[in-house]
Amino acid sequence: MQCEWCEEFGAVNISCTVFWELPDGTRAIEITNTPSIKCKNCGMEYQLESTINELEDQLILINTKKIGKSITYQQLMDQPKLLKRNYFRFD
């Protein structure tokens, strides 16, 4: 796979831990086992835009007060939504 940063081939799918600020800005949480990409050439670890959008949308749609300091990606995605979709995303 081609790396989005260095544009060389050698990027692979991985799961890693990320830290994300909640939409209200009150704190950041640790999200483990997050789908990510790692480039063997430049060493960059990053999330695809689609994964970033999924994380940000989910954090807007759920009650974040019920989340502790750390959660797995799947547990986060499984949280019940308060709204059907992110009405602030216009794309």
Side-chain angles (χ1 to χ4, degrees), residues 49-54 56-57 60 85-91:
E49 192 70 29
S50 59
T51 303
I52 293 168
N53 288 339
E54 287 173 355
E56 291 179 349
D57 286 351
I60 286 174
R85 67 181 190 92
N86 180 356
Y87 294 99
F88 298 105
R89 187 172 301 284
F90 301 109
D91 50 359

Side-chain angles (χ1 to χ4, degrees), residues 35-50:
S36 302
I37 307 293
K38 179 169 180 133
C39 180
K40 294 180 180 182
N41 294 307
C42 69
M44 181 62 78
E45 288 184 15
Y46 60 94
Q47 292 70 49
L48 294 175
E49 192 70 29
S50 59

Side-chain angles (χ1 to χ4, degrees), residues 9-54:
F9 287 91
V12 294
N13 292 312
I14 64 166
S15 292
C16 69
T17 298
V18 298
F19 295 89
W20 222 267
E21 184 177 351
L22 297 181
D24 63 6
T26 56
R27 62 190 174 107
I29 60 170
E30 175 185 61
I31 307 169
T32 61
N33 298 321
T34 304
S36 302
I37 307 293
K38 179 169 180 133
C39 180
K40 294 180 180 182
N41 294 307
C42 69
M44 181 62 78
E45 288 184 15
Y46 60 94
Q47 292 70 49
L48 294 175
E49 192 70 29
S50 59
T51 303
I52 293 168
N53 288 339
E54 287 173 355

